[in-house]
Amino acid sequence: MTKQYALADIAKLIGADLLNADDKTMVTGFATLQNAGPHQIAFFTNPKYLTSLKETKAAAVILSNEVKDQCPVNALVMSNPYLGFAKAASLFDDTPVLATGIHPTAIIDPSAKIASSAKIGPYVVIGKNCEIADEVSINAHCTISDDVLIGQGSVLKSNVNIYHRVKIGKNCIIHSGAVIGSDGFGMANDQGRWVKIPQLGGVLIGDEVEIGANTTIDRGALEDTVIETGVKIDNQVQIAHNVVIGAHTAMAAKVGIAGSTKIGRYCLIGGAAGITGHIEITDKVIVAAMSGISHSINQPGMYSSAIPAREVRSWNKTVAHINRLDKMAAKVKVLVSKLGLNEKDQHE
Amino acid sequence: MTKQYALADIAKLIGADLLNADDKTMVTGFATLQNAGPHQIAFFTNPKYLTSLKETKAAAVILSNEVKDQCPVNALVMSNPYLGFAKAASLFDDTPVLATGIHPTAIIDPSAKIASSAKIGPYVVIGKNCEIADEVSINAHCTISDDVLIGQGSVLKSNVNIYHRVKIGKNCIIHSGAVIGSDGFGMANDQGRWVKIPQLGGVLIGDEVEIGANTTIDRGALEDTVIETGVKIDNQVQIAHNVVIGAHTAMAAKVGIAGSTKIGRYCLIGGAAGITGHIEITDKVIVAAMSGISHSINQPGMYSSAIPAREVRSWNKTVAHINRLDKMAAKVKVLVSKLGLNEKDQHE
Amino acid sequence: MTKQYALADIAKLIGADLLNADDKTMVTGFATLQNAGPHQIAFFTNPKYLTSLKETKAAAVILSNEVKDQCPVNALVMSNPYLGFAKAASLFDDTPVLATGIHPTAIIDPSAKIASSAKIGPYVVIGKNCEIADEVSINAHCTISDDVLIGQGSVLKSNVNIYHRVKIGKNCIIHSGAVIGSDGFGMANDQGRWVKIPQLGGVLIGDEVEIGANTTIDRGALEDTVIETGVKIDNQVQIAHNVVIGAHTAMAAKVGIAGSTKIGRYCLIGGAAGITGHIEITDKVIVAAMSGISHSINQPGMYSSAIPAREVRSWNKTVAHINRLDKMAAKVKVLVSKLGLNEKDQHE
C-alpha cells in the first residue's frame, strides 16, 4: 500500500501556500525536478536547476515566492522551501521501525530499567543500572554497557556500541557502527614505554543529536566529553576525550577533533577538517573542508587552509617553488635593497 | 593437510609459459623473492627487487619475458605477471568459508527469500522481503534491514550492517564493520535549529564490487547512491548520499566523497583524498593521495594538491613565507614596474 | 560503595613523596585542579594551569619538585607527575569487567582452546583452532575467525572483529568496532578490470598494544602485517597490508599508513597524518598532525606539511599566489639577471 496525500494537506503540514488551492492531485512521493512524475512533488532551492524547474512534470514544486512564476506546475510557496522539503519528505519516510517490547534474545541486566514503550531488538545487550526511557528504539546487536541513560524517543540503529556511564538525551539518532564512550587516548611516558591513563570521565550527549555511522566519541579523562543539544555529526567523525561541542553545531564526515578542544555553538565544520587539541573555537565559525585548525578562533567567520588540486605536473612545479620560497624571499629582499625601495613604494 | 600443486598446473591456470616444462616440483605456497623456499613460488614485477630475483631460492618465479634470463630458478613467463600472482595466489587462499545453510541462531523474517545454497552465519538478522541469492555468504553478526537484495555469490564478512532498500549485485565482497545505506547527512536550517531531511533513496551496488572494513556508504536523499560494477573500495572510505561511482574505479583507504558528486569510470583515487560535493569527475582521472578536489574535472590525467612533509623548522619557515606571499607579490610588482620590465622580459 | 584510599597509600603506590606525611585525608576520586573537592586529588603538569594550581581545593596535587611551593594543599611530589596520575587514576577506574567463564550464548568451535580463567561475553563467536589464554576478556558480540591466538590478559571490548590467523600478544586492549585482519587492498589490473589478489598473510600483534575504536588493520598479502610490542593506536587509524609498526610507537586518531611501509620504534604520528606505501621511517620520528609523508625518513626529528587555516578571504588570495608562483619565480629570475645579482648578493 503506497501512502498518498492531498496537495492541500501537504501545504498545511509544511506551512506553504498552495497556489492553485483547488488542485485535488494525490501525491505518492518525492522526486527530483527532472524525474518527478504527475503524482510526485519536488523542491527548488538551487538556481543551478532553473531549467529543470521550467521543464518539470511534478505534481507540484516547493519553492520561494521569487520563482513561483517560473514554475510550470502547481506551486507550494514558502520562505524556506528546503525546510518544507524536510517536513514533506517525512511523510514518505519508510525507515523500518522496531516492534514495541523486548526481543526474547535481548540480554538485559535485571537492574536495568526499560520503559514499557521502549523497543529493544534482537541480540541487544544492556548492562547494569541502565535506564532506557519511553519510545526509545535500540536496534539489533547494540551493546550497551553499565550505567547508561538513553532519553525519550532516541533511536540507536543496529550495532551501536555504548560504553559505561554515557548519557544520551531525548530524540537522538545514532547510526550503525558508532562507538560512544571508548577510552580517550591518554598515556604517560615512562622511560620510553607508555603507561595507560584510565579514562575516568564519561560522555554527555544532549537532545536532538544525530551521530553518523562509524563515528567515535571518546569518554573524558577526568570529566565528561560533551555534545550539546542539536549537534549533528556525520559519518566517521572522531571526537577525542574532553572535547565540548556547542549546541546546534554541524560537522561533516571525517572530521577529527583532538582532546580538550571546545567548539562553539552554531559552527559548521567541513568534511575531513582537523582541529587540534586544547583550543577554543567561538560560536558561528565555519571551517572549510580539509582544513587544519591549529589555534583558537575568537572571531566568527570562515576559515580555510584547503588547497584545490591541480594537474599533477603543474602542481609538482608549484611544490618545488614552495620548497624554495626561502630563497625567493631572500632574492626579493636583496632586489628591494638594491633599488632602495621603501615601504611606500611597496604598497603602491 | 597442506595443499600442493604441480608447477605445470599452475602455469596452465594462470596462462604462463613454464620455461623448464619438465620440472616436477610440487608447490605448497607463495612467498616473497627473498623468503621463498624450494617449494614456494614468488613473483617479480618491481625492478627495485632485481637483486632479490637474482638471489631467489623459490621453486619458480612468475615474471615477464624481458627478465626471464635474470631468473636463477624456473620461470613462469607471462605478459602480466601481477595478474598471474593474483590467479595463483587464489590456489593457496585459506579464508574460512561458512557451511551451507542457515545457522539456527540466525533470525530471519518469514517474508525473506533465502536461496537454498546460501550460507547464513550465527546471530545474523535479516528483515522483511529480503532476497538472498544462491551461494551468498553472510557471516556472523551481520544485520540486514528490510527490502535488501543480495546477488549471487556475494560475501558479507562478519558484522556488516545493511540498512533497508539496499541492492547488492553478484560476487561482491563487503568487509567487517562496513555500513551500507545509513542516512545521508541532510538537514534544513530553521532559524538556527537543524531539521532532519528523511533520506528516501537507497543504495544500488553493481557486481564484483569490494567494500573495505568500516567503510560507510549513505543512502540517497531522493534517488539512490550508486556504486557501479567492478568498483573497489578500501577501508574507512566515506561515500555520501547520491554519489555515483563509475564502473571499475578504485579508491584507497580513507577517501571521502561529498554528496551528489559523480565519479567517472576507471578512476584511481589515492588514500585520504577528499572530493567535494555536487561535482563531476570524468573517466580515467587519477587523484593523488591526500589531495582535495574542489572543482569538476573533465580531462583524464593525474591531479594533486599534496605537499610532502619536511623537517619541521624548515617547514615552519616555509609556512611563514606562504602567509606573506601577498607582500612578496606586491614587492615583485613594484620591482617589475621600477625596472620597466615587460611581458617579453618576464618570459625570457 | 565508593572506593577510598589514604593519601599515604596513594603516595606509596605511585612512588611520590607526600609532603605532609601525617595527612589522614581519604581520597575518593580524581578531578581537575579547578573542580577537585577536599576528597579528590588532582595533578599538575601544564604550566598554563598555574593559576588553577594556586587556587585548587583538592585534597592533594601530584606535581614535580619545582612547583611544590606554589601548591596551597598537600603535595605528592615526583619527577614524572603525569606517570603518577596514570598510576593513581587506575585506583578509581570503574570500567566494567566480565564475569569469569563462558556466557551460554557464546558460540565456540569445539577445536578452540579457551583457558579456564578467560571471560567470554554474550553472543561472542569463536572459530576453529583458536587459543584464548588466561585472563583474556572477550566482550559481547566479538567475532573471532579461525586460527586466532589471543595472549594472556588481553581485553577485546564489545564488537571487535578478528579475521583468521591473527596473533595477538599479552595485555593488549582492542576497542569496539576495530577490525583486525581484513583483506589488504590488493588487485591486479586485467585490461581495465580488477582481479582480486587473495591476501595470504596474517597479522602479528605484540604485547601491551592498544588499538582504538573503529581502527582497521589489514592482513598481509604474503607475509604478516606486524604491530610490535607497546604500540598505541588511537581511533579510526588505518594500517594497510604488510605495514610494520616498531615497538612503543604511538599514533593518534585517523592516521593512515599505506601498504608495506615500515615505521620505526618510539615514533609519534600526529592525528590524520598520512604515510605513503613502500617507505621506511626510522626510530624516534615525530610526524605533525595532518602531514603527508611521501618519502623515507632516515633522521629522527619532527616533520610537517601542515598548513594552519586562516580567514578564508585572506587564505584564498594566498592560494591564488601559490598557483602563480611559477610566474613570480620567473619575474624574480629576470629581475636578478637585469640587476646582475650574484649568489653572494642573494645571501647577504
Side-chain angles (χ1 to χ4, degrees):
Chain A
M1 282 285 293
T2 307
K3 294 179 197 173
Q4 51 179 14
Y5 300 88
L7 268 178
D9 291 339
I10 293 174
K12 194 177 296 175
L13 173 87
I14 68 176
D17 292 326
L18 184 61
L19 278 207
N20 176 358
D22 295 333
D23 190 328
K24 301 295 182 206
T25 306
M26 295 305 287
V27 176
T28 59
F30 247 102
T32 60
L33 288 164
Q34 298 95 315
N35 294 339
H39 290 280
Q40 291 174 306
I41 53 173
F43 72 99
F44 175 82
T45 55
N46 187 340
K48 204 167 122 181
Y49 297 121
L50 188 58
T51 306
S52 299
L53 174 63
K54 291 178 177 174
E55 297 171 353
T56 191
K57 305 247 184 300
V61 179
I62 307 173
L63 42 63
S64 62
N65 195 52
E66 301 80 50
V67 288
K68 69 170 191 276
D69 295 339
Q70 316 217 36
C71 179
V73 298
N74 207 344
L76 292 148
V77 181
M78 61 191 294
S79 59
N80 187 348
Y82 203 54
L83 178 62
F85 165 44
K87 291 179 175 176
S90 70
L91 296 174
F92 302 103
D93 185 10
D94 65 348
T95 304
V97 290
L98 281 170
T100 298
I102 298 173
H103 194 279
T105 60
I107 297 177
I108 299 175
D109 189 90
S111 61
K113 293 180 192 159
I114 314 288
S116 61
S117 61
K119 304 161 184 183
I120 313 288
Y123 300 126
V124 167
V125 176
I126 298 180
K128 293 172 188 154
N129 306 316
C130 290
E131 296 186 25
I132 310 298
D134 279 310
E135 304 292 342
V136 166
S137 287
I138 302 180
N139 282 273
H141 284 265
C142 289
T143 67
I144 296 174
S145 187
D146 299 348
D147 301 298
V148 170
L149 309 185
I150 303 183
Q152 188 176 338
S154 286
V155 177
L156 276 59
K157 300 289 188 171
S158 64
N159 187 36
V160 169
N161 298 276
I162 312 282
Y163 281 49
H164 60 292
R165 273 197 286 109
V166 169
K167 296 190 183 78
I168 297 169
K170 296 176 185 173
N171 300 314
C172 294
I173 301 173
I174 306 183
H175 286 280
S176 292
V179 178
I180 316 291
S182 40
D183 287 353
F185 197 58
M187 53 218 187
N189 200 290
D190 184 15
Q191 300 174 340
R193 298 172 64 99
W194 296 110
V195 176
K196 182 178 178 70
I197 298 173
Q199 301 291 298
L200 307 180
V203 179
L204 180 60
I205 295 175
D207 300 333
E208 315 273 349
V209 170
E210 185 159 354
I211 295 172
N214 285 348
T215 280
T216 51
I217 302 178
D218 279 347
R219 65 191 315 102
L222 290 178
E223 299 175 351
D224 287 348
T225 303
V226 178
I227 314 293
E228 294 183 358
T229 286
V231 168
K232 307 296 179 180
I233 299 174
D234 199 356
N235 298 348
Q236 295 190 37
V237 169
Q238 151 70 4
I239 296 178
H241 51 183
N242 298 106
V243 165
V244 177
I245 311 282
H248 309 295
T249 281
M251 43 186 74
K254 289 193 160 288
V255 165
I257 318 271
S260 300
T261 278
K262 193 170 175 206
I263 311 274
R265 301 183 302 161
Y266 304 105
C267 293
L268 298 173
I269 315 294
I275 301 184
T276 196
H278 295 275
I279 64 170
E280 286 202 31
I281 310 292
T282 192
D283 296 348
K284 298 189 181 176
V285 165
I286 301 171
V287 176
M290 299 190 80
S291 298
I293 304 292
S294 56
H295 295 89
S296 290
I297 295 178
N298 52 31
Q299 289 294 319
M302 184 168 178
Y303 297 81
S304 176
S305 62
I307 298 180
R310 297 215 318 273
E311 191 280 325
V312 71
R313 280 162 303 187
S314 155
W315 172 250
N316 283 347
K317 279 184 208 161
T318 298
V319 170
H321 287 304
I322 288 174
N323 287 338
R324 285 194 302 257
L325 272 179
D326 222 12
K327 287 180 184 162
M328 200 193 294
K331 284 180 190 173
V332 171
K333 193 175 172 190
V334 172
L335 289 166
V336 164
S337 150
K338 282 258 171 183
L339 286 176
L341 289 188
N342 57 36
E343 278 299 311
K344 185 169 160 295
D345 287 326
Q346 293 171 40
H347 290 92
E348 270 169 1
Chain B
M1 281 283 293
T2 308
K3 294 179 196 174
Q4 50 178 17
Y5 301 90
L7 268 179
D9 292 339
I10 293 175
K12 195 177 296 175
L13 173 88
I14 67 177
D17 291 325
L18 184 62
L19 279 206
N20 176 358
D22 295 333
D23 189 330
K24 300 296 183 205
T25 305
M26 296 305 288
V27 175
T28 59
F30 246 102
T32 59
L33 289 164
Q34 299 94 313
N35 293 340
H39 290 279
Q40 291 175 307
I41 53 173
F43 72 98
F44 174 81
T45 56
N46 187 340
K48 204 167 121 180
Y49 298 120
L50 189 58
T51 306
S52 298
L53 173 63
K54 291 177 178 174
E55 297 171 353
T56 192
K57 306 245 184 301
V61 179
I62 307 173
L63 42 63
S64 64
N65 196 52
E66 301 80 50
V67 289
K68 69 170 190 275
D69 295 339
Q70 318 216 35
C71 179
V73 298
N74 208 345
L76 292 148
V77 181
M78 60 191 295
S79 59
N80 187 348
Y82 203 55
L83 179 61
F85 166 45
K87 291 179 175 176
S90 70
L91 295 174
F92 302 102
D93 185 11
D94 64 347
T95 303
V97 291
L98 281 170
T100 299
I102 297 174
H103 194 279
T105 60
I107 297 178
I108 299 176
D109 190 90
S111 62
K113 294 178 192 161
I114 314 289
S116 61
S117 61
K119 303 161 185 182
I120 313 289
Y123 300 126
V124 167
V125 176
I126 298 180
K128 293 173 188 156
N129 306 316
C130 291
E131 297 186 25
I132 311 298
D134 280 310
E135 305 291 343
V136 166
S137 287
I138 301 180
N139 282 274
H141 283 265
C142 288
T143 68
I144 296 174
S145 187
D146 299 349
D147 301 297
V148 170
L149 309 185
I150 303 183
Q152 187 175 340
S154 286
V155 177
L156 276 58
K157 299 289 187 171
S158 64
N159 187 36
V160 169
N161 298 277
I162 312 282
Y163 282 47
H164 61 291
R165 274 196 287 108
V166 169
K167 296 190 183 79
I168 298 169
K170 297 176 186 173
N171 300 314
C172 294
I173 301 173
I174 306 183
H175 286 279
S176 292
V179 178
I180 316 290
S182 39
D183 288 352
F185 197 58
M187 52 219 187
N189 199 291
D190 184 15
Q191 300 175 339
R193 298 173 64 99
W194 297 110
V195 176
K196 181 178 177 71
I197 298 173
Q199 301 291 299
L200 307 180
V203 179
L204 180 59
I205 296 175
D207 301 332
E208 315 274 348
V209 171
E210 185 160 353
I211 294 173
N214 285 348
T215 279
T216 51
I217 302 178
D218 279 346
R219 65 190 317 102
L222 291 178
E223 299 174 350
D224 288 347
T225 303
V226 178
I227 314 293
E228 293 183 0
T229 286
V231 169
K232 307 295 179 182
I233 298 174
D234 199 354
N235 298 349
Q236 295 190 36
V237 169
Q238 150 70 3
I239 295 179
H241 51 182
N242 297 107
V243 165
V244 177
I245 312 283
H248 310 296
T249 281
M251 45 186 74
K254 289 193 161 289
V255 165
I257 318 271
S260 299
T261 279
K262 193 171 176 206
I263 311 275
R265 300 184 302 161
Y266 305 106
C267 293
L268 298 173
I269 314 295
I275 302 185
T276 196
H278 295 274
I279 64 170
E280 286 202 32
I281 309 293
T282 191
D283 295 348
K284 299 189 181 176
V285 165
I286 301 171
V287 176
M290 298 190 81
S291 298
I293 304 292
S294 57
H295 295 89
S296 290
I297 295 178
N298 52 31
Q299 290 295 319
M302 184 167 177
Y303 297 80
S304 177
S305 62
I307 298 180
R310 297 213 319 273
E311 192 279 327
V312 72
R313 280 162 302 186
S314 155
W315 173 250
N316 283 347
K317 280 184 207 163
T318 299
V319 170
H321 287 305
I322 288 174
N323 287 338
R324 286 194 301 256
L325 272 179
D326 222 12
K327 286 179 184 163
M328 199 193 295
K331 285 179 189 172
V332 170
K333 194 175 172 190
V334 172
L335 289 166
V336 164
S337 151
K338 282 260 171 182
L339 287 176
L341 289 187
N342 59 34
E343 277 300 310
K344 186 169 160 297
D345 288 325
Q346 294 172 38
H347 290 90
E348 267 169 2
Chain C
M1 282 284 292
T2 307
K3 294 181 198 172
Q4 52 178 14
Y5 300 89
L7 268 178
D9 292 340
I10 293 174
K12 196 177 294 175
L13 173 88
I14 68 177
D17 291 325
L18 184 62
L19 278 207
N20 176 359
D22 295 332
D23 190 329
K24 301 296 182 206
T25 306
M26 296 304 288
V27 176
T28 58
F30 246 103
T32 60
L33 288 165
Q34 299 95 315
N35 293 339
H39 290 279
Q40 291 174 309
I41 53 173
F43 72 98
F44 175 82
T45 56
N46 188 340
K48 206 168 121 181
Y49 298 120
L50 188 59
T51 306
S52 299
L53 174 63
K54 291 177 177 174
E55 298 172 353
T56 192
K57 307 245 184 300
V61 179
I62 307 173
L63 41 64
S64 63
N65 195 54
E66 300 80 51
V67 289
K68 69 169 189 276
D69 295 339
Q70 318 216 34
C71 179
V73 298
N74 208 345
L76 292 148
V77 181
M78 60 192 294
S79 59
N80 187 348
Y82 203 55
L83 179 62
F85 166 45
K87 291 178 174 176
S90 70
L91 296 174
F92 303 102
D93 185 11
D94 64 348
T95 303
V97 291
L98 281 170
T100 299
I102 299 174
H103 195 278
T105 60
I107 297 178
I108 299 175
D109 190 90
S111 62
K113 293 179 193 159
I114 314 290
S116 61
S117 61
K119 303 162 184 182
I120 313 288
Y123 299 126
V124 167
V125 176
I126 298 180
K128 293 173 188 154
N129 307 315
C130 290
E131 297 187 25
I132 310 299
D134 280 310
E135 304 291 343
V136 166
S137 287
I138 301 180
N139 282 274
H141 284 266
C142 289
T143 67
I144 297 174
S145 188
D146 299 348
D147 302 298
V148 170
L149 308 185
I150 302 183
Q152 187 176 339
S154 285
V155 176
L156 275 59
K157 299 290 188 170
S158 65
N159 187 36
V160 169
N161 297 276
I162 312 281
Y163 282 48
H164 60 292
R165 274 197 286 109
V166 169
K167 296 191 184 78
I168 298 169
K170 296 176 186 173
N171 299 315
C172 293
I173 300 173
I174 305 183
H175 285 280
S176 292
V179 178
I180 317 290
S182 40
D183 287 354
F185 196 59
M187 53 217 188
N189 199 290
D190 184 15
Q191 299 174 341
R193 299 173 64 100
W194 297 110
V195 177
K196 182 177 177 72
I197 298 173
Q199 301 291 298
L200 307 179
V203 179
L204 181 60
I205 295 175
D207 301 333
E208 314 273 350
V209 170
E210 185 158 354
I211 295 172
N214 285 348
T215 280
T216 51
I217 302 178
D218 279 347
R219 66 192 314 103
L222 291 177
E223 299 173 352
D224 288 347
T225 303
V226 178
I227 314 293
E228 293 183 359
T229 286
V231 168
K232 307 295 179 182
I233 298 174
D234 199 356
N235 298 348
Q236 295 191 35
V237 169
Q238 151 69 4
I239 296 178
H241 50 183
N242 299 106
V243 165
V244 176
I245 312 283
H248 309 296
T249 281
M251 45 186 73
K254 289 194 160 289
V255 165
I257 318 272
S260 300
T261 279
K262 194 172 174 206
I263 311 274
R265 300 183 303 162
Y266 304 105
C267 293
L268 298 173
I269 315 294
I275 302 184
T276 195
H278 295 275
I279 64 170
E280 286 203 31
I281 309 292
T282 192
D283 295 348
K284 298 190 181 175
V285 165
I286 301 171
V287 176
M290 299 190 81
S291 298
I293 304 293
S294 56
H295 294 90
S296 290
I297 295 178
N298 52 31
Q299 289 295 319
M302 184 166 177
Y303 297 80
S304 177
S305 62
I307 298 180
R310 296 214 318 273
E311 191 279 326
V312 72
R313 280 161 303 186
S314 154
W315 172 250
N316 283 348
K317 279 185 208 162
T318 299
V319 170
H321 287 306
I322 288 174
N323 287 337
R324 286 193 302 256
L325 272 179
D326 222 12
K327 286 180 184 162
M328 199 192 297
K331 284 179 188 170
V332 170
K333 195 175 172 189
V334 172
L335 289 166
V336 165
S337 151
K338 282 262 171 179
L339 287 175
L341 289 189
N342 58 34
E343 278 299 311
K344 186 170 158 295
D345 288 325
Q346 294 172 39
H347 290 92
E348 269 170 3

